[in-house]
Amino acid sequence: MIISNRRITGLAVGVIAELVEEISPLWQERHQARLTSRPRKRAVGTGAKHRLVFVDRLLATLVHLRHGVTHDVLACWFGVDRSTITRAVGEVRPLLAERGCTVSPDVRLRTLADVVDHLGASGTTGIIDGTEIRVRRPAAGRTDRDKFISGKNKQNAVKSMVVTDAEGRVLWCSPARPASCADITHARQLGLVKLLADGPAVEIPADAGYQGLGAQTGGRVMTPPHRKFKKNAPEWYEEMYERQRKAHSSRRIRVEHGIAHLKNWRALARHPGCREHMSDTVQAVAGLLSHQQTADLTSTRQR
């Protein structure tokens, strides 16, 4: 029932089957490495056996990411203890995050450098934008407590930079960091300026939060036009400025659609309790969404 209903996991049956085939050996390898890495009184393989097979561990993680279902509810569904679900989600979520974003059956993008190279090789346009995810307020007395306060929304949040293509397909999501960092600063810290200045000639539309990157990247990052007249602007200039602004907005609006698809996953639209796991959560959801988008596009082309 869980596998066959896409509304529960957000993924088609074929995509889930591919995830099982890809991730199951990695999970088994890491599980065996944990067993052999510590002193043992009993041989490996003895003792209590898993009551939750890997497929169920993956499904529990997908449902948790898609709908934000609590570990207690998932434990009731799968007939295990809550700690078993917590351990399963903690083991599977990093594996999903490490997969990267799937743009074709044989192309996987895991780093920002991979994205820039892919855009240059395919001759496509990339669009960047930052998105914020609200989190719980850090405990009182924590030294970096104020770093999570967003200057834009005045709320505690973490920020991630999203890259999509011209159609709004997610190509990459950066690890999450405290939201007090400006969008342009975040892009510089991720190395976007150096990658574009030294890399292939690609076009990357962005919003006004990235104004200044265009001059540093040789015009590769395109931001909305500057307003030259603040007061008493001529009528002809107002018409030209509005036309240019709308044209730019029409090009970069697809990244907003991509972010909206990410926020359909409840794990990125609620107040998560653990900020330390948000990087894995963001990148895991981005990878799953891109995989499903690629599968849908491939299926459409084959019809």
Side-chain angles (χ1 to χ4, degrees), residues 22-23 26 30 91-101 108-111 279-280 283-284 287:
E22 177 184 350
I23 299 178
L26 297 177
R30 294 191 181 184
E91 292 172 353
V92 175
R93 181 172 49 202
L95 295 175
L96 295 175
E98 294 169 7
R99 295 178 63 250
C101 292
R108 193 72 62 79
L109 306 179
R110 293 183 173 87
T111 65
S279 290
D280 284 346
Q283 294 181 307

Side-chain angles (χ1 to χ4, degrees), residues 52-107:
L52 200 63
V53 297
F54 175 77
V55 175
D56 289 341
R57 291 170 181 269
L58 175 62
L59 292 176
T61 304
L62 294 177
V63 175
H64 173 68
L65 294 175
R66 179 64 176 174
H67 297 287
V69 179
T70 64
H71 294 183
D72 284 323
V73 174
L74 290 172
C76 293
W77 284 1
F78 288 94
V80 295
D81 189 75
R82 180 193 59 79
S83 62
T84 302
I85 297 295
T86 301
R87 183 166 54 252
V89 173
E91 292 172 353
V92 175
R93 181 172 49 202
L95 295 175
L96 295 175
E98 294 169 7
R99 295 178 63 250
C101 292
T102 305
V103 294
S104 68
D106 56 344
V107 177

Side-chain angles (χ1 to χ4, degrees), residues 244-257:
Q244 292 176 347
R245 188 188 65 81
K246 287 185 177 180
H248 181 81
S249 297
S250 298
R251 291 195 65 188
R252 63 162 298 276
I253 192 62
R254 295 305 182 100
V255 71
E256 303 290 353
H257 299 166

Side-chain angles (χ1 to χ4, degrees), residues 230-279:
K230 295 185 178 180
K231 295 182 180 179
N232 303 322
E235 184 176 348
W236 62 267
Y237 177 80
E238 288 288 353
E239 294 178 357
M240 180 188 68
Y241 173 80
E242 191 66 19
R243 185 170 58 253
Q244 292 176 347
R245 188 188 65 81
K246 287 185 177 180
H248 181 81
S249 297
S250 298
R251 291 195 65 188
R252 63 162 298 276
I253 192 62
R254 295 305 182 100
V255 71
E256 303 290 353
H257 299 166
I259 293 175
H261 287 305
L262 286 173
K263 295 297 181 71
N264 282 336
W265 290 69
R266 186 64 176 169
L268 301 183
R270 59 189 288 268
H271 293 75
C274 190
R275 291 168 296 275
E276 289 73 13
H277 294 160
M278 281 310 300
S279 290

Side-chain angles (χ1 to χ4, degrees), residues 195-215:
L195 290 173
L196 292 179
D198 301 338
V202 297
E203 291 185 347
I204 300 185
D207 63 11
Y210 296 93
Q211 282 182 343
L213 288 185

Side-chain angles (χ1 to χ4, degrees), residues 124-142:
T124 56
T125 298
I127 313 174
I128 62 173
D129 197 9
T131 184
E132 294 183 355
I133 305 164
R134 292 182 62 184
V135 296
R136 292 181 181 177
R137 189 179 185 183
R142 181 169 170 170

